[in-house]
Structure formats: C-alpha cells, structure tokens
Amino acid sequence: MNGKHLIKLGFEKETLGLALKAATAREGAGLARADILHELGAVRAAPQDYAGGGVYAPLAQALLAQAAAPQDRPDEALRPAPLPYAVWGADLIEPGARAQMDVAMRLPVSRAGALMPDAHVGYGLPIGGVLAAENAVIPYGVGVDIGCSMMLSVLPMPAGALKVAEASDLLLRHTRFGAGVGFEKRDRQDHAVLHEPTWEEQPLLRHLYDKAVNQIGTSGSGNHFVEFGTLSLAQPDPELGLEAGEYLAVLSHSGSRGFGAQVAGHFTVLAGRLHPGLDKVAQKLAWLPLDGEEGQAYWQAMNLAGRYALANHDLIHARLARALGVSPLAQASNSHNLAWKEVVDGRELIVHRKGATPAARGQLGLIPGSMADPGYLVRGRGHAPALASASHGAGRQLGRRAAQNALNKKDVQAYLAGRGVTLIGGGIDEAPQAYKRIEEVIARQTDLVDVLAEFRPRVVRMDTGSEDV
C-alpha cells in the first residue's frame, strides 16, 4: 500500500498520512489490499459513519473537519463578483490575465486594484497586476523572485567610447548568471545587507544566509540581464544633474536569487495551510494576515529579500564602474516585485506590485523593453486609479514554450543585427519577438509616467536560456 493508491481514492495531503496509517493497521490485521481500498473508499464517501470510533475514526474526523472548513471560515469566501479595477492597454492584454485579476479582486481582503498594459498570465496575481489588500500580504501577489528590480547607471563617458569587444569582455569578467551561480570565493564582494541583524531573527533566514552570501552580486536566469547601451536625454534634468545629450550607461535587471525564491516557496505553503477552505480558483492567492505571526515573518523576510536584490545591482554596477575607472554621474533603481504599506483612499493598505513599477508623483522608475528594444527612464505621475503604478516592461506575448516552438534563431539574430545589438547568452525563450512592442506599451500609460530618457541596448549579457540565440 502506498500514497498513490490513496491519492486515486481522492485523499489529499491533509488526510493522506492518516489514511496511510489506517491502511497499515488494517494490513497488519491481515486484510488484503483490495479490501482495505474498499473500506477507505467507504470512509471517504461517508466519514460520519466512521467518526465515532475504531481504526478509521481519526481519518473520518479529519475528513469531516476538512469538509466543514469553508463553512467555518466565512472570511475565506470569495465575493460573487470582482471589485471594479482600472485597466491600461486593454487591447494588449490576454484574456487569461484579466481572468486572474478578476479572481484577485474577488478575495475578501482585496480593496482596490489595477492592471498594467504589459500584463500577462502568472502564478496567482497576473504579471502586471497591482492589488491593494487590507491587513493581508499575499506571497504570490509579490511573486517568486521577491524584490526583482532594475538599476541604471549613467557614466561620464560618450555613448560610443566603449567598443563592443571591450564591453563584452567587461560583462564576461564582472557578471555572473544562472540558477545557483555565484562568483568564486576570491572574487566575491561584501555588502552591508549581509551584515543586517535580520538574518538572525528567523530560522529560515539563518538557514538561507550562506546561499545569499554565495550568490551576492549575481543575476538569475530567464529575463535577467546586464547591458551596456546609449542613454538619450532630450532635455536637461536638474534633479538627475544631467545635461541633454547621449551617455554611455549600464542597465540591469535582477532579483533576490535562490534566497528570495525559497522565502517565497516557504511562505506560500504557510498561506495555503492557513486557508484550507479557499476556493480552488484562488488557492494561489492565499494570504497571510499581517497582524499574525506568519504575516509578520513574511513581511520581514520579503523586505530583506528586496534589499538583497538591490544589493546585487549595487555590486554589479560598482564592479563595472570600477573596471572602467569611473564613478556614475547619476543612478536610478526600483523594485517591481514587492508589497508596500501605502495610504489608499485614506486608509493604510498593502499594495502588491507583481511586475509593476512604483510610480508615485516624482518617483524615478525604469521600464525595459527586450534584449534588442529600448528601455525608458521615467518619472511617476502618482495616478491614483493605477495605485501610483506603471508597467515593469514590455510584457510577454508568447510564453517560453510557445516562443521556442514559434521562433527560429535566424530571425532572432537578424532582429538583433538590425538594431546593432551584440548578445552574450540569451535564449530563444527571451527573443524580442516573444515580447509586446515596448513603444505600444509606453504609449498606453502616458497618464501614469513621463518619459525622461530612452536607453538603447548595445551589448547584452543574459543567462544561456533553454536554447542559445
């Protein structure tokens, strides 16, 4: 007798252990497997008949408690219809992302939301979704790559000062990409985030500390990148301290690496256990009450992961600037997978931005395109219906597998060559053709941000991907 037999009968993880224990006891009493399975099927169908006593009583009682959970937890019931929310670029957004946002807006803890023009299907909350919840934080409303973020460094060098071969060599020597990858110990840099006392305040964080140390200053796989390019500033910007013109710049996209991913996985499981009666359609949106022990622990770990992600950018940019012998003229950065405490309509709510750029009035942000398309330095307009948010990029129009099936290397290489882009690494699944046109996405959110400058990639490094371009 094993778990597979019991799963076929409909036992779930909450009752699987009890079912197996009862089955083992009946096996010890000499019953054949077929007879035990028949008995277990009867218990599964009518647990009330077995709850009074006997070997199956603990299982039957657990089944009854499981069945009663939705009625005992009215706070888990979804609204019959989603709360209204604003959408930007509706013509660019696939129906699946709208459906996911509709479910999120039916959560009992949801209070407001918005959908950005780069939106596409994700786990739980769609990528490009913004959700304000009351006294609740949703791990899958933040995302697996907690603190995924952008950083731009504007360098005191003419745009054409760095040749392709030199830029490629710098990226190969001073950046690292991929799951589990870190710098060699002798080349690893230190950062203040690694010395925060927060690491000692939870067993999980203590356990993940060595992983964080090993991967500091590196980037993950997928759409993470570091690239040299040309930043074009049409008008002088006193706040940035930059005159109009073209500059050599570094743009990076990275996150909290394996540390953040394991934090996300751990607390997602906890959230699911807290809400066993949540409708299956919303199970990936299970939340942690912020005034509870689990919610406080996640909030602490999430914010540490956000700081750690930005520390990775700090070290990447510092390495490259030091190798060039320069100090940046200006820098900008933002997280786009995080939750914040913000005042919405006069009350403090938890605003989740999963693949969405914070765009409060006057706030700088970065919205990249693809490996060969422009990115934009923007300043937020604080648009309230968007919960002071904007898109975090162009957004996918083809999933990874669809891109691998639909695109070929020759077309992708021609696209890169036509835009003068040299690519190191990168896979077909990250091809420019897998993304929406960034110009169209930017055009749909002129009420959310003002564009300050355009960044055009020239030499791009990414992880190898599923298949090299």
Side-chain angles (χ1 to χ4, degrees), residues 164-425:
V164 168
E166 185 180 0
S168 300
D169 180 64
L170 286 169
L171 291 174
L172 285 168
R173 285 192 289 121
H174 297 291
T175 66
R176 295 288 185 275
F177 284 83
V181 170
F183 277 99
E184 298 75 10
K185 191 172 184 179
R186 66 179 183 276
D187 296 327
R188 199 177 297 149
Q189 291 182 287
D190 197 11
H191 193 280
V193 75
L194 297 176
H195 302 281
E196 293 188 20
T198 311
W199 294 99
E200 291 297 321
E201 294 179 15
Q202 291 186 44
L204 175 66
L205 300 182
R206 288 196 295 273
H207 171 70
L208 294 174
Y209 179 74
D210 287 344
K211 181 185 290 289
V213 170
N214 292 338
Q215 296 182 352
I216 191 78
T218 66
S219 303
S221 54
N223 59 4
H224 289 176
F225 61 76
V226 182
E227 52 197 32
F228 283 104
T230 301
L231 186 79
S232 300
L233 190 67
Q235 302 291 333
D237 194 297
E239 183 181 326
L240 287 168
L242 296 176
E243 297 296 325
E246 293 192 340
Y247 299 85
L248 179 69
V250 177
L251 184 66
S252 59
H253 179 211
S254 193
S256 53
R257 308 293 279 114
F259 156 56
Q262 288 192 241
V263 167
H266 174 80
F267 284 100
T268 294
V269 170
L270 284 185
R273 288 176 181 168
L274 283 180
H275 301 285
L278 190 60
D279 192 305
K280 288 186 183 298
V281 74
Q283 281 180 342
K284 285 185 166 55
L285 290 167
W287 63 90
L288 299 166
L290 202 57
D291 56 3
E293 183 179 342
E294 297 90 347
Q296 285 294 303
Y298 175 78
W299 192 258
Q300 182 184 59
M302 178 200 74
N303 280 293
L304 179 61
R307 295 191 296 275
Y308 177 79
L310 290 174
N312 288 330
H313 289 282
D314 287 346
L315 295 183
I316 291 166
H317 287 244
R319 276 183 188 273
L320 292 171
R322 187 167 55 249
L324 288 167
V326 300
S327 295
L329 294 172
Q331 290 185 312
S333 62
N334 68 265
S335 301
H336 52 225
N337 272 22
L338 216 61
W340 291 261
K341 293 179 180 179
E342 296 181 6
V343 176
V344 180
D345 294 331
R347 56 182 169 175
E348 184 181 83
L349 299 177
I350 307 305
V351 178
H352 303 73
R353 293 185 178 92
K354 184 180 183 184
T357 300
R361 181 170 294 278
Q363 185 173 12
L364 294 176
L366 296 157
I367 303 177
S370 73
M371 61 171 67
D373 294 312
Y376 297 91
L377 174 64
V378 300
R379 183 171 283 130
R381 304 189 70 179
H383 193 53
L387 298 173
S389 307
S391 80
H392 85 309
R396 299 191 73 96
Q397 62 181 355
L398 291 176
R400 296 188 183 280
R401 183 167 295 179
Q404 293 164 22
N405 292 336
L407 305 177
N408 63 71
K409 291 184 182 181
K410 185 180 293 185
D411 289 342
V412 177
Q413 290 167 347
Y415 193 101
L416 295 169
R419 286 154 182 78
V421 173
T422 298
L423 176 65
I424 305 167

Side-chain angles (χ1 to χ4, degrees), residues 4-5 60 119 140 209 231 288 344 448-449:
K4 289 182 180 178
H5 298 112
Y140 265 156
Y209 179 74
L231 186 79
L288 299 166
V344 180
L448 307 185
V449 293

